[in-house]
Amino acid sequence: MSKLVITGSSMGLLQTCARNYKLRYVDGIESITRPSYFTLGSAFHAAVEEFRRGGSLGDMMTAGMDPDLSKDDTCRLQAMVEAYHTRYKNERGTFDSIEEEFKKPWRGAWSLCGVVDAIKGGIIYETKTVGRIDGAYLERLWQARQTLIYCAVMEVNTVIYDLVEKSGIRRYKATPAEKRKYVTDKETGRRRLNAKQREYDEPDADYLTRLREWYVKHPEALHREEIIYSDIQLKDIWDDIDAEVRRLQWHMKEDVWPRSLNSCHRYNNPCEFAPLCGSGGNKLVLDTHYQSREKIHSELKGETSDSNTN
């Protein structure tokens, strides 16, 4: 068996659904189509990483640009980056460590790995883009597996979450031709489109202006939450990791990977492997909708595509 890796993300997925874990981390496949919110979140994360390294606003946008971003998400990214830069510009380039990767040997063949977004003054900083920042979301951060692991490994107890809410504003779209209604202008006598309808999609500049205004009117959309974990929490996470590695060893030895049917649809979204599981692993579905992952653990810089196979 080659060197095996467990991360906070893979541990969470194993707890959610063993079948999903196998498809992602053992078989090494992923859906060909990626939800747009993943792309936008990754792009913003890259922009903030550049900011923490001392990059300017322009550098942040360059770092965050992704060819897979839609035109709408490119505007959203720019508005989010500008709002973040305005709020925290005095902190640019002041971090002690950025994207620090760790690797801790565990149970012989295993390694516990992860990448910490940033560290400053003995405090871990993590960046999250969210659909909505509310009390329920903030409460969940106190039990966040990933940052508990980071704190336990780094031997610190404090995390600061930089949370940025994604605006729900949508671009105005052109009215479909079959739904357009025309009126006669009283002054010119010419026929024109109804004032509530549009002939063309809203231009980028106009859409971006509305997004910028939204962040000005909603300063709470950028929120910083400080979490201080207790000694008991940091002790218990080691027990959790050990228990999950033992469980994973059993799954791999027995080659038994049961589905968690409660996870096939979460938050009104289907699991990315729902079509494959629903087809009984049909090869046509596999070949049509899925591809090999370039890296099993995409967040780790040193990981290769076959790092988690035996």
Side-chain angles (χ1 to χ4, degrees), residues 13 16 25 87 111 139 148 213 254 273 290 292 295:
L13 190 57
T16 300
Y25 292 109
R87 175 71 64 86
S111 291
E139 185 67 25
L148 273 167
E213 291 173 350
E254 301 295 330
F273 296 116
Y290 300 92
S292 296
K295 292 168 60 177

Side-chain angles (χ1 to χ4, degrees), residues 10 57 124 173 202 211 214 236 241 253 271 276 287 306:
S10 65
L57 178 59
I124 290 174
K173 297 294 185 180
E202 183 179 23
L211 287 167
W214 187 87
D236 286 348
I241 295 167
K253 178 182 177 181
C271 167
L276 185 61
D287 294 341
D306 61 351

Side-chain angles (χ1 to χ4, degrees), residues 185-203:
D185 192 293
K186 293 181 180 180
E187 295 183 1
T188 65
R190 295 179 180 179
R191 285 173 56 79
R192 60 173 175 79
L193 197 63
N194 186 295
K196 294 183 178 181
Q197 297 185 332
R198 300 183 63 89
E199 187 172 358
Y200 303 103
D201 287 351
E202 183 179 23

Side-chain angles (χ1 to χ4, degrees), residues 144-157:
R145 177 193 312 101
Q146 190 174 56
T147 44
L148 273 167
I149 291 175
Y150 292 170
C151 284
V153 172
M154 299 291 179
E155 298 183 344
V156 299
N157 68 350

